[in-house]
Amino acid sequence: MNKKDARYHSFKILLEFERSKKQLKLVRNQYYDTFLLSQNDIMRSFVLSNEVVRWRRRLDYWIGKNLIKNTQHLNIKALIILRLGYYEILLDKKIPIYAAVNSWVELSKHVLNRKLISLVNALLRKTADIDPTIRDSKQSKGSWYSFPDWLINGWIKKYGQIMTDNLCDWFNSPASTDLRIHKGSENIIKFLSELKIKYKPSPKSNHFIRIQSDLNKIISSKYFKSGNINIQGRASGAVVELLKPEPNSVVLDVCAAPGTKSIYIFELMNRKGQLFCSDIDSKRIEIGKSRTEDLKLPIEWSCKDASIDVFPDADFILVDAPCTGTGIIGRKVDIRWRRKKEDASDMSLKQLKILNHMSQFLNPNGVIVYSTCSIENEENWHVIEAFLKLNNNFYLESGENFIPNQWLNSKGYLETFPPRDKIDGMFAARLKKYD
């Protein structure tokens, strides 16, 4: 085999991911920036690295069935090769078993010693004894769905067994991409048809469409460069619609980078008024600034800490708070392994601090929307409940006049459930200040 094919690149990406503990996306982007890969190798290594991280716990269970010791005691390079091989053979099935076994054994010869090569060879051949469609009677739900037990148990407590199963299935299915179309939709639809890009309407919207592939063709198009197409999840768009900023108003968008919601905010303002965007991450700010400058939008960016810094008084404020991100695990597969049980509670303290601090910059009769892409109660309703107890000059305003009612819970705030709503898990509450 060619040592530097997509399998090799996948192995190197996953090895760095395991060693560095960085986000998979960052590791992958740095790798692609460092090495010149063909488009086919990029696409295949992207899928392999993504899916092995997604299914890591189930793969380790299968591998461990034929090991005397736990997989944690296995050489990390050998374990990564086995994960990749087991994924290709048992879950991908695009090539014959013998070809996959031979390819991964051949790769192991370049990175492992003789004893480990023999072990990898033997364990890969054991895949013939596994039926990947059947869960073992002694296999835990977390192991089968490839999630930490604490996360599964929390969801069962909140949603019940059946809805948790549905949620896991949703997060383990291929993620789609939503595009927000600003104007000239007929020309854009024609453009997509000419490129033979398959799409369908995104849920509950005339301004969002959903694609399954060919995102690179869209990013390089004149429609993306002009801002007539923006990449934005439908649930993310609903947060901006819940804010519904008015033209000629002053708007603050904090924790805003890389600015996906910011651009939509400015469009809903009819590009009239002042929009101040800020974030604590200077590198992500540069991404936001670059996009808004390319689109010639007069949005002001600054590096600020939303929990302590001073801001202009505003009529509308969006606090898209930093969170655990459990509502977007389907598209950011490594979140499930990078989070700990206590993270949601720890994060809620920071979230409440930001919300309390930013509320002082809201004008009377103004609106502040607090949102997260988490589905954990600690980061969502618990934060709002604590805020309202501390601030009796605010009240929760129902979102029924702003977003689809199917996405609202009984209290009137946005709380989506991905398998039911076919969008990311998102929370948002519209808080209004008394005049």
Side-chain angles (χ1 to χ4, degrees):
M1 67 171 284
N2 174 13
K3 181 186 173 186
K4 297 293 178 72
D5 68 359
R7 290 190 179 96
Y8 173 83
H9 299 307
S10 305
F11 166 76
K12 295 293 285 185
I13 289 168
L14 289 171
L15 183 61
E16 177 60 19
F17 169 71
E18 293 292 343
R19 286 175 169 173
S20 69
K21 307 303 179 185
K22 293 179 181 177
Q23 291 182 31
L24 178 60
K25 180 181 178 180
L26 293 179
V27 171
R28 205 158 38 206
N29 288 347
Q30 288 170 358
Y31 189 86
Y32 294 154
D33 288 343
T34 304
F35 301 100
L36 186 62
L37 276 61
S38 70
Q39 192 59 38
N40 283 340
D41 280 351
I42 288 174
M43 290 172 64
R44 184 59 181 161
S45 62
F46 181 97
V47 170
L48 281 174
S49 58
N50 226 47
E51 295 308 301
V52 165
V53 170
R54 188 194 303 274
W55 293 107
R56 188 172 80 180
R57 191 173 176 194
R58 188 192 287 191
L59 295 170
D60 285 359
Y61 176 84
W62 285 333
I63 294 166
K65 289 176 72 171
N66 296 297
L67 283 174
I68 297 174
K69 293 183 178 180
N70 193 292
T71 53
Q72 292 176 345
H73 300 290
L74 193 60
N75 175 282
I76 188 62
K77 291 181 180 179
L79 180 57
I80 290 171
I81 289 174
L82 286 167
R83 285 170 176 169
L84 283 158
Y86 270 58
Y87 169 75
E88 264 201 330
I89 295 166
L90 295 171
L91 296 178
D92 196 23
K93 300 180 181 178
K94 289 184 178 176
I95 60 172
I97 291 176
Y98 72 88
V101 171
N102 290 342
S103 295
W104 290 111
V105 171
E106 191 63 29
L107 188 149
S108 71
K109 293 176 182 178
H110 296 286
V111 296
L112 301 176
N113 61 40
R114 186 175 299 175
K115 184 178 179 182
L116 286 172
I117 294 168
S118 297
L119 178 65
V120 165
N121 189 2
L123 289 173
L124 285 173
R125 296 183 188 284
K126 289 288 186 180
T127 55
D129 303 328
I130 297 171
D131 184 342
T133 65
I134 298 176
R135 173 181 161 192
D136 286 354
S137 58
K138 62 182 179 180
Q139 187 176 9
S140 70
K141 193 183 289 278
S143 171
W144 175 251
Y145 285 117
S146 194
F147 282 92
D149 290 331
W150 66 265
L151 202 50
I152 292 278
N153 293 337
W155 290 344
I156 290 174
K157 186 176 179 181
K158 180 179 180 179
Y159 298 117
Q161 296 275 359
I162 295 175
M163 289 178 71
T164 296
D165 289 347
N166 294 339
L167 186 63
C168 291
D169 283 334
W170 172 269
F171 283 147
N172 284 333
S173 300
S176 55
T177 300
D178 288 338
L179 306 176
R180 179 168 51 78
I181 299 175
H182 177 47
K183 58 184 179 181
S185 58
E186 290 183 6
N187 290 333
I188 292 170
I189 296 304
K190 183 180 178 183
F191 157 74
L192 295 175
S193 299
E194 289 172 353
L195 289 179
K196 297 181 179 179
I197 295 174
K198 294 181 180 179
Y199 67 91
K200 60 182 179 181
S202 299
K204 313 293 180 184
S205 177
N206 297 321
H207 306 294
F208 286 76
I209 61 172
R210 181 162 290 178
I211 62 170
Q212 293 285 356
S213 61
D214 298 304
L215 183 60
N216 287 336
K217 293 179 182 178
I218 291 168
I219 292 174
S220 61
S221 72
K222 65 180 181 180
Y223 295 104
F224 180 80
K225 292 174 181 175
S226 66
N228 289 323
I229 291 179
N230 284 278
I231 302 165
Q232 182 171 26
R234 179 66 192 98
S236 166
V239 171
V240 179
E241 292 157 14
L242 183 63
L243 182 69
K244 200 177 182 182
E246 297 172 0
N248 301 312
S249 57
V250 177
V251 182
L252 303 181
D253 183 6
V254 299
C255 315
T260 306
K261 294 183 180 71
S262 312
I263 295 170
Y264 194 18
I265 287 172
F266 206 58
E267 289 174 6
L268 292 187
M269 295 167 66
N270 293 332
R271 304 192 177 199
K272 296 176 182 177
Q274 292 179 285
L275 175 55
F276 298 95
C277 296
S278 62
D279 200 279
I280 201 170
D281 189 330
S282 58
K283 290 183 180 179
R284 284 167 58 84
I285 286 173
E286 289 305 313
I287 299 172
K289 284 180 68 175
S290 175
R291 177 67 172 155
T292 51
E293 286 171 1
D294 287 346
L295 299 179
K296 298 180 173 55
L297 301 178
I299 295 173
E300 295 190 37
W301 282 91
S302 59
C303 189
K304 286 189 174 187
D305 185 336
S307 66
I308 56 174
D309 286 334
V310 176
F311 292 80
D313 290 341
D315 306 302
F316 296 88
I317 300 176
L318 175 59
V319 175
D320 188 28
C323 67
T324 58
T326 55
I328 54 172
I329 285 179
R331 63 184 72 256
K332 293 188 177 182
V333 296
D334 55 323
I335 286 176
R336 68 187 80 190
W337 309 126
R338 292 192 297 104
R339 296 290 181 238
K340 300 187 293 294
K341 184 177 182 179
E342 61 271 18
D343 283 352
S345 296
D346 293 346
M347 200 73 79
S348 68
L349 300 176
K350 299 176 184 177
Q351 293 158 344
L352 181 58
K353 185 177 180 182
I354 290 173
L355 183 56
N356 271 325
H357 180 71
M358 292 309 305
S359 66
Q360 67 183 300
F361 303 108
L362 189 67
N363 290 327
N365 212 34
V367 170
I368 186 168
V369 164
Y370 169 85
S371 69
T372 75
C373 54
S374 166
I375 56 174
E376 312 309 312
N377 287 334
E378 296 96 323
E379 300 177 88
N380 296 334
W381 175 246
H382 291 182
V383 172
I384 296 300
E385 195 172 35
F387 173 79
L388 291 173
K389 286 179 180 177
L390 293 168
N391 299 272
N392 58 12
N393 55 334
F394 281 84
Y395 65 95
L396 179 69
E397 184 176 20
S398 172
E400 62 183 350
N401 295 320
F402 306 97
I403 58 175
N405 291 348
Q406 295 91 331
W407 298 346
L408 299 173
N409 75 353
S410 59
K411 292 187 175 71
Y413 55 77
L414 171 70
E415 187 178 44
T416 61
F417 183 66
R420 178 192 65 212
D421 303 318
K422 311 305 179 190
I423 58 176
D424 288 335
M426 194 71 63
F427 172 92
R430 181 179 165 100
L431 302 165
K432 197 156 187 180
K433 190 174 184 179
Y434 285 110
D435 193 349

